[in-house]
């Protein structure tokens, strides 16, 4: 499945993973989960770039008839254009992907006429946080449908984090829950197409 990241490695290139997601909330659990996954991807040999809540909030609302692009919009599109894999991370807002994250995804319409259309053939990791399992599940399903529409391949594992009443990350973004940490590491492995070395090796 990971032919894009495998192809990058086969040609001696470092696989490039782009993370898009988070919220503008200080200490966003969604962004913390995305950052942790990108750190794992780097440990597995990938180069990464994050477009977090602040960067996403600076993007204008997507208008299909508007062809001009700001620097921030161009940076996001260009990063995805050269990516070997992508990770989307969204909170469940009213049962679906947040407007902030979806606005950035809508911008990927700029990749429609590329040689590689949209996310064609790319592994795409999906992370969802919500204040309950129902919101986690409906939002993950919606996010995977979006990835399918963009011709990407959602990784087998989609990470859902129920944030109701628990603190999953500390102020430095370190994961406080071993099981959540392991899930994010597995997601990174599936996105990069590399298994972590066994502990002690
Ligand atoms: C506008 C809004 C809508 C929300 N809708 C839902 C929802 O439908 N289901 C749910 O479980 N949680 C919902 N939540 C809770 C968030 O999904 C949850 O707190 C999430 O983890 C916040 O992510 P953050 O820590 O990255 O800001 C909503 C929160 C907001 C602000």
């Amino acid at each position: 499945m990971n032919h894009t990241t495998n192809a990058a490695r086969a040609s001696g290139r470092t696989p490039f993973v782009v993370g898009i997601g988070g919220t503008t909330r200080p200490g966003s659990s969604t962004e913390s989960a995305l950052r942790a996954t990108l750190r794992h991807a780097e440990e597995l040999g990938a180069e990464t770039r994050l477009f977090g809540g602040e960067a996403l909030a600076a993007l204008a609302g997507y208008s299909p008839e508007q062809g001009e692009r700001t620097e921030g919009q161009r940076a996001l599109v260009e990063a995805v254009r050269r990516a070997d894999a992508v990770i989307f991370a969204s909170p469940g807002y009213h049962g679906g992907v947040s407007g902030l994250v979806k606005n950035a995804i809508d911008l990927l319409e700029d990749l429609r006429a590329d040689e590689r259309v949209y996310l064609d053939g790319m592994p795409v990791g999906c992370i969802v946080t919500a204040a309950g399992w129902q919101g986690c599940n409906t939002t993950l399903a919606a996010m995977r449908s979006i990835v399918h529409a963009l011709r990407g391949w959602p990784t087998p594992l989609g990470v859902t984090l129920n944030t109701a009443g628990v603190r999953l990350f500390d102020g430095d973004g370190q994961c406080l829950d071993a099981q959540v940490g392991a899930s994010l590491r597995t997601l990174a492995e599936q996105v990069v197409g590399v298994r972590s070395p066994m502990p002690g090796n």
Side-chain angles (χ1 to χ4, degrees):
M1 186 198 73
N2 279 2
H3 58 269
T4 52
T5 44
N6 286 341
R9 268 192 302 280
S11 66
R13 257 193 326 109
T14 302
F16 179 46
V17 179
V18 174
I20 297 172
T23 72
T24 53
R25 209 176 59 74
S28 161
S29 54
T30 316
E31 187 166 319
S32 297
L34 178 57
R35 283 179 184 275
T37 310
L38 292 177
R39 278 199 301 275
H40 290 316
E42 286 171 9
E43 286 160 13
L44 296 168
E47 175 197 349
T48 71
R49 170 113 193 230
L50 169 74
F51 293 87
E54 198 183 326
L56 301 186
L59 299 176
Y62 177 76
S63 303
E65 77 287 2
Q66 172 60 261
E68 278 172 35
R69 296 287 175 253
T70 62
E71 202 178 311
Q73 287 174 318
R74 268 197 303 275
L76 188 135
V77 170
E78 284 307 319
V80 175
R81 187 168 271 145
R82 89 171 177 91
D84 299 295
V86 173
I87 304 173
F88 291 140
S90 177
Y93 275 7
H94 308 142
V97 173
S98 73
L100 190 75
V101 173
K102 188 59 168 62
N103 184 53
I105 293 174
D106 289 349
L107 192 56
L108 302 184
E109 185 64 13
D110 283 10
L111 304 175
R112 187 166 68 103
D114 277 21
E115 191 179 335
R116 179 182 69 186
V117 177
Y118 298 134
L119 309 180
D120 198 11
M122 269 205 272
V124 182
C126 295
I127 300 171
V128 169
T129 72
W133 291 118
Q134 179 167 298
C136 283
N137 293 336
T138 56
T139 305
L140 179 63
M143 192 185 275
R144 283 180 154 164
S145 295
I146 291 167
V147 174
H148 287 148
L150 292 171
R151 307 191 190 187
W153 292 67
T155 54
L157 179 68
V159 176
T160 50
L161 305 178
N162 186 341
T163 57
V166 286
R167 198 162 163 250
L168 298 176
F169 299 89
D170 69 15
D172 297 325
Q174 296 302 316
C175 190
L176 299 170
D177 182 298
Q179 217 174 348
V180 168
S183 295
L184 297 176
R185 177 173 286 278
T186 300
L187 186 69
E189 290 175 355
Q190 292 185 357
V191 162
V192 180
V194 173
R195 284 277 182 87
S196 305
M198 295 295 283
N201 286 355

